[in-house]
Amino acid sequence: MKVVQIAKPATIATLRTVDVGEPRRPGQGEMLVRVVASSLNFHDLRIVTGGLPAAEGIVPLGDAAGEVIEVGEGVREFSVGDTVISVFMPEWVDGRSPDPMTTIMPGDRVDGFAAEYVTMPTGYFTRAPRNLSLPEAATLPTAGVTAWRAVVDESEVKPGGTLLVLGTGGVSIFALQIAKAMGMKVIATSSSDAKLERLTRMGADHVINYRTFPDWSKEVLRLTDGIGVDAIIEVGGASTILESIQAVRVQGVIVVIGALSGREAPLPISTIFSKQMKIKGVVVASRRQQTEFVAGIEATGIKPVISHSFALADIADAFRFQESGSHFGKISVTM
């Protein structure tokens, strides 16, 4: 079987495709999965470009959807022919999160899913939604489940409340879809009028071009009669967090799930405590929350938005396209 591996130095240009022979037969509690599709996340881009340390030879990509080919002894949860999706933090079954700096993450500290087959413990997977294709399902394990946890479990927004999403990456698009399915109002931002039109067609109640309105929190306040939004899905980091603090209402919630523009920013402490706001960090979700998300996808009929699709052999082009920031939703990689 063919796999993609990281070389040293880690760059997109040095990614290598190698044939590693037949896949390993599953042992106790394991299963052999034919990987049909994956999808790219910012975490993957940082791995393959050296922004996060990874050992030479590691197989990247933290998302996967595929079919169970063989099960090992003692496996009861899955059977041959089942369709499954990967779990980004498989040691986090439920409850309190393990330390993301030390826990297992496929495509990071252990081999991921840029491969035609994988042999892994059953806890590395949940079942896939029955109403999605496998390329669609492969977008769920990182961006989708993060958005689900952020909106459903952490934002504290009730039906009729208002959520703000930033940009048109995978998490933000999922958050828009989930929020609308839950009866929330959504304000969305982008620097592209064409993308803002697509967001409107997807159900966004208001859209803001942050190039036109660099102080976009003022526009958010105008749209909410000076009150602010109930919660914000914050993906920008250093360049957006100050505006988010101004845009959220008193006792509102800012759910921080990314830092695309930088990881350090001064914070207006007096505004934070005078508004009595909550700022919560979110790193994906537990395996239990992923099973709830799968059920939610089936119940709501949400369809992931796939911007572009690339073959595994063209994975370098996929990462270069991701770097360009031109995508709307998720970038798919098919095996």
Side-chain angles (χ1 to χ4, degrees):
M1 68 170 182
K2 290 183 172 61
V3 304
V4 174
Q5 295 177 335
I6 293 170
K8 291 296 182 181
T11 68
I12 294 174
T14 57
L15 285 171
R16 62 196 184 203
T17 301
V18 299
D19 194 322
V20 295
E22 293 295 317
R24 180 173 63 84
R25 298 283 301 279
Q28 176 79 26
E30 294 182 327
M31 59 189 186
L32 173 63
V33 175
R34 179 175 65 88
V35 181
V36 173
S38 182
S39 68
L40 302 188
N41 298 288
F42 183 65
H43 183 88
D44 302 313
L45 182 62
R46 294 192 69 207
I47 289 288
V48 302
T49 56
L52 291 172
E56 184 173 6
I58 282 287
V59 177
L61 301 188
D63 286 355
E67 178 186 2
V68 178
I69 301 300
E70 184 180 356
V71 298
E73 186 177 350
V75 173
R76 300 287 181 268
E77 185 177 358
F78 299 103
S79 301
V80 172
D82 286 349
T83 55
V84 294
I85 57 174
S86 59
V87 176
F88 187 76
M89 292 172 62
E91 294 181 319
W92 186 11
V93 178
D94 199 1
R96 186 183 294 272
S97 170
D99 183 354
M101 300 303 294
T102 58
T103 192
I104 289 173
M105 296 180 186
D108 187 326
R109 298 177 184 94
V110 298
D111 284 343
F113 300 101
E116 294 176 317
Y117 295 88
V118 296
T119 302
M120 293 180 175
T122 58
Y124 280 55
F125 299 93
T126 67
R127 72 177 182 85
R130 298 183 182 91
N131 59 333
L132 297 185
S133 69
L134 287 179
E136 290 172 331
T139 69
L140 304 184
T142 303
V145 76
T146 299
W148 176 267
R149 177 186 167 199
V151 175
V152 175
D153 293 332
E154 305 291 353
S155 76
E156 303 179 15
V157 181
K158 302 292 191 296
T162 304
L163 185 78
L164 173 65
V165 300
L166 306 181
T168 55
V171 174
S172 297
I173 294 297
F174 270 119
L176 166 63
Q177 293 175 297
I178 293 165
K180 294 308 297 182
M182 299 295 178
M184 302 175 191
K185 300 174 184 175
V186 176
I187 300 174
T189 72
S190 174
S191 62
S192 163
D193 287 336
K195 289 182 177 181
L196 291 173
E197 288 180 13
R198 291 189 66 180
L199 290 168
T200 300
R201 292 198 298 270
M202 290 183 65
D205 298 273
H206 302 284
V207 294
I208 301 171
N209 188 315
Y210 61 78
R211 300 291 186 206
T212 305
F213 298 97
D215 300 330
W216 48 262
S217 61
K218 295 178 181 178
E219 187 67 5
V220 171
L221 292 172
R222 184 188 70 80
L223 293 169
T224 56
D225 297 324
I227 296 172
V229 293
D230 296 298
I232 300 171
I233 308 303
E234 168 60 62
V235 302
S239 71
T240 56
I241 187 65
L242 298 180
E243 287 296 300
S244 289
I245 288 171
Q246 298 301 322
V248 75
R249 69 176 298 158
V250 172
Q251 293 191 318
V253 178
I254 299 175
V255 185
V256 181
I257 64 93
L260 296 175
S261 66
R263 296 174 173 272
E264 303 290 338
L267 296 181
I269 303 301
S270 60
T271 303
I272 291 172
F273 73 71
S274 65
K275 279 194 170 184
Q276 307 165 70
M277 68 180 65
K278 295 179 182 178
I279 301 178
K280 300 181 177 182
V282 163
V283 178
V284 292
S286 68
R287 190 172 186 270
R288 176 191 61 79
Q289 288 170 311
Q290 181 161 308
T291 62
E292 293 174 348
F293 178 41
V294 168
I297 287 286
E298 292 176 336
T300 60
I302 289 172
K303 287 284 188 180
V305 176
I306 295 178
S307 176
H308 289 72
S309 182
F310 294 81
L312 181 63
D314 300 320
I315 192 170
D317 291 335
F319 277 118
R320 292 187 186 101
F321 182 70
Q322 183 185 24
E323 275 192 315
S324 75
S326 301
H327 55 290
F328 184 98
K330 295 293 291 177
I331 300 170
S332 174
V333 176
T334 57
M335 311 310 169

